[in-house]
Amino acid sequence: TTGLLLFTTDESRNREVQRAIEEKTLERTYVAVVTLAAGAKFDEAGLLEVQLREEKERSIVVPRGGKLARTRYRIVRRSGSR
């Protein structure tokens, strides 16, 4: 994960976290504030699947030929008129 800074309380926890990162078993949770375009709707929970390709040091969504990225989401709170 880009931009993540993680501190552990002791050496054994550090090894445990490091192993989970290397084995790709570390579960990540993100919180995002999203503004939808007028008229756009999202289900309360769901799965987003897109294909990504690296281009000029960033990921872009492509219709095919990229690496599959899956994100499960759920809406925690809505604000405003939505």
Side-chain angles (χ1 to χ4, degrees), residues 33-80:
V33 176
V34 178
T35 302
L36 297 176
K41 296 186 180 185
F42 254 83
D43 293 333
E44 292 299 310
L47 175 67
L48 301 174
E49 293 184 318
V50 296
Q51 293 200 26
L52 300 176
R53 183 178 73 217
E54 292 294 319
E55 188 170 293
K56 297 182 183 177
E57 299 181 15
R58 57 184 249 184
S59 296
I60 61 168
V61 176
V62 293
R64 61 189 164 284
K67 182 179 177 183
L68 182 61
R70 291 187 177 107
T71 301
R72 284 189 272 319
Y73 74 89
R74 69 180 170 87
I75 294 176
V76 176
R77 183 179 68 199
R78 294 182 183 264
S79 64

Side-chain angles (χ1 to χ4, degrees), residues 20-38:
I21 291 171
E22 290 169 0
E23 295 173 357
K24 298 188 179 198
T25 58
L26 183 72
E27 184 174 312
R28 297 166 178 98
T29 301
Y30 303 90
V31 176
V33 176
V34 178
T35 302
L36 297 176

